[in-house]
C-alpha cells in the first residue's frame, strides 16, 4: 500500500475554494486514489475516487497528474459545515482490501 | 442512501467484561470490516470478513477479539475481556466488489463509543 503525505491542517473562509494536495510517490499501477471526510465522533465518509486525470462529483473534484504521484482534492465554495478531517488513501480497490488511514488534513472553515 | 447501522452508539463496560458491538451492513455488500479510532488518533484497521470468514486481520486483532455474522444481516465484534486501552470508537464498514472503472467506496457506520472503566 502506497504511503501518503498530506498537510496536517489548513484554514479557509466560507465561500473560498479549498485545495488539499496529497503526495503518493510510490503509487502502484493498480492503485486508486480515494478521499474520505470525517466529522468528529462520526465514521469516515467517502467523497471521491479516481485513477487518473480529473474526476468530479456533486461535492468535489479530484485532480490527478499524469505521473499519479500526487493528487489534489478541490472543494468549491466551502461552508462552515465542511470543517472536518480529510483523508487521502491509495490502494488497489479490488478484493475488499483494508484501508490504511494516515493522520489526514484537518480543515477549519471560518466565517 | 443506504446506511451501515451500529448499535449501541455508546457502551460503558468494566475492565474484564465481555462486550459485543453490533452492525448491520448494507444488504448487497459482500465485504465487512471493523476499524477503531482511539481519541485523537488515526483510524486503524482491525479485521475484514468475506464469505463467512476472516480475510485479513491486523496485529491489534488478537485472541481477545472475534467477529461473527450470525444471521446473514448482522455483523458483530466481540471483545472477550476488555482492557482500559480498548476504549475507542469502533466503526463497522462494508463494501461491494465492483469493476475498477466504476467509482465505489466503503460505507462506514456512525460508530460505537466504547468506554472501559
Amino acid at each position: 500500500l502506497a504511503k501518503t503525505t498530506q498537510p496536517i491542517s489548513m484554514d479557509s473562509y466560507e465561500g473560498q475554494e479549498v485545495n488539499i494536495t496529497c503526495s503518493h510517490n510510490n503509487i502502484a499501477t493498480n492503485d486508486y486514489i480515494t478521499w474520505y471526510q470525517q466529522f468528529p465522533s462520526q465514521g469516515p465518509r467517502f467523497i471521491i475516487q479516481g485513477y487518473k486525470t480529473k474526476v468530479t462529483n456533486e461535492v468535489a473534484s479530484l485532480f490527478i497528474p499524469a505521473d499519479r504521484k500526487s493528487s489534489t482534492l478541490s472543494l468549491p465554495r466551502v461552508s462552515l459545515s465542511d470543517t472536518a478531517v480529510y483523508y487521502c488513501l491509495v490502494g488497489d480497490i479490488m478484493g475488499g482490501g483494508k484501508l490504511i488511514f494516515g493522520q489526514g488534513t484537518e480543515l477549519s472553515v471560518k466565517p | 442512501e443506504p446506511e451501515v447501522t451500529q448499535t449501541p452508539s455508546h457502551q460503558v463496560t468494566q475492565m474484564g467484561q465481555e462486550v459485543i458491538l453490533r452492525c448491520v451492513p448494507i444488504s448487497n455488500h459482500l465485504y465487512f470490516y471493523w476499524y477503531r479510532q482511539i481519541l485523537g488518533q488515526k483510524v486503524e484497521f482491525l479485521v475484514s470478513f468475506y464469505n463467512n470468514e476472516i480475510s485479513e486481520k491486523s496485529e491489534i486483532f488478537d485472541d481477545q477479539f472475534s467477529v461473527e455474522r450470525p444471521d446473514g444481516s448482522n455483523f458483530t465484534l466481540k471483545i472477550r475481556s476488555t482492557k482500559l486501552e480498548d476504549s475507542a470508537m469502533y466503526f463497522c464498514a462494508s463494501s461491494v466488489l465492483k469493476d475498477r472503472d466504476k467509482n465505489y467506496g466503503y460505507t462506514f457506520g456512525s460508530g460505537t463509543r466504547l468506554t472501559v472503566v
Side-chain angles (χ1 to χ4, degrees):
Chain A
L1 295 165
K3 182 177 162 57
T4 60
T5 304
Q6 51 184 123
I8 293 173
S9 63
M10 291 182 71
D11 290 332
S12 182
Y13 291 93
E14 279 190 294
Q16 288 188 330
E17 178 184 79
V18 170
N19 296 308
I20 306 174
T21 296
C22 177
S23 333
H24 26 81
N25 290 317
N26 297 322
I27 190 167
T29 303
N30 290 338
D31 286 346
Y32 273 62
I33 301 152
T34 312
W35 285 80
Y36 282 81
Q37 174 193 56
Q38 187 182 27
F39 298 113
S41 299
Q42 293 190 28
R45 185 176 75 100
F46 172 86
I47 302 174
I48 197 165
Q49 178 182 277
Y51 183 81
K52 60 182 178 182
T53 62
K54 178 184 172 184
V55 180
T56 297
N57 63 20
E58 60 276 8
V59 297
S61 295
L62 178 60
F63 299 92
I64 306 167
D67 66 5
R68 304 202 325 122
K69 293 183 184 299
S70 66
S71 59
T72 299
L73 174 72
S74 181
L75 305 172
R77 295 186 299 282
V78 294
S79 63
L80 296 176
S81 62
D82 291 316
T83 294
V85 179
Y86 292 83
Y87 298 97
C88 163
L89 287 82
V90 173
D92 187 344
I93 64 171
M94 300 295 284
K98 64 188 177 191
L99 301 177
I100 303 294
F101 287 84
Q103 293 289 353
T105 296
E106 189 167 359
L107 173 65
S108 177
V109 180
K110 301 172 183 174
Chain B
E1 187 176 325
E3 289 184 345
V4 172
T5 305
Q6 289 188 244
T7 55
S9 57
H10 192 183
Q11 172 99 39
V12 181
T13 188
Q14 291 208 324
M15 194 167 52
Q17 295 295 304
E18 174 184 285
V19 293
I20 297 176
L21 310 183
R22 301 180 193 280
C23 168
V24 178
I26 293 173
S27 60
N28 66 335
H29 282 189
L30 303 176
Y31 294 87
F32 314 112
Y33 315 83
W34 284 99
Y35 288 77
R36 79 170 186 191
Q37 187 173 32
I38 295 169
L39 186 64
Q41 297 188 23
K42 296 187 289 188
V43 177
E44 299 175 290
F45 168 78
L46 291 179
V47 65
S48 58
F49 192 86
Y50 171 71
N51 202 23
N52 285 319
E53 61 183 23
I54 290 173
S55 49
E56 189 173 1
K57 60 184 180 179
S58 72
E59 291 177 354
I60 302 168
F61 194 89
D62 61 21
D63 292 343
Q64 293 299 312
F65 291 87
S66 61
V67 288
E68 195 177 29
R69 188 156 161 81
D71 56 13
S73 62
N74 291 287
F75 180 50
T76 62
L77 174 70
K78 183 193 290 187
I79 309 175
R80 263 181 270 284
S81 177
T82 50
K83 307 184 193 70
L84 294 176
E85 54 265 37
D86 293 327
S87 295
M89 284 286 285
Y90 287 81
F91 297 108
C92 174
S94 66
S95 69
V96 60
L97 190 64
K98 278 196 171 181
D99 295 335
R100 280 203 175 92
D101 290 336
K102 295 180 183 175
N103 284 341
Y104 92 112
Y106 295 61
T107 303
F108 283 80
S110 296
T112 293
R113 181 178 298 283
L114 176 66
T115 303
V116 182
V117 297

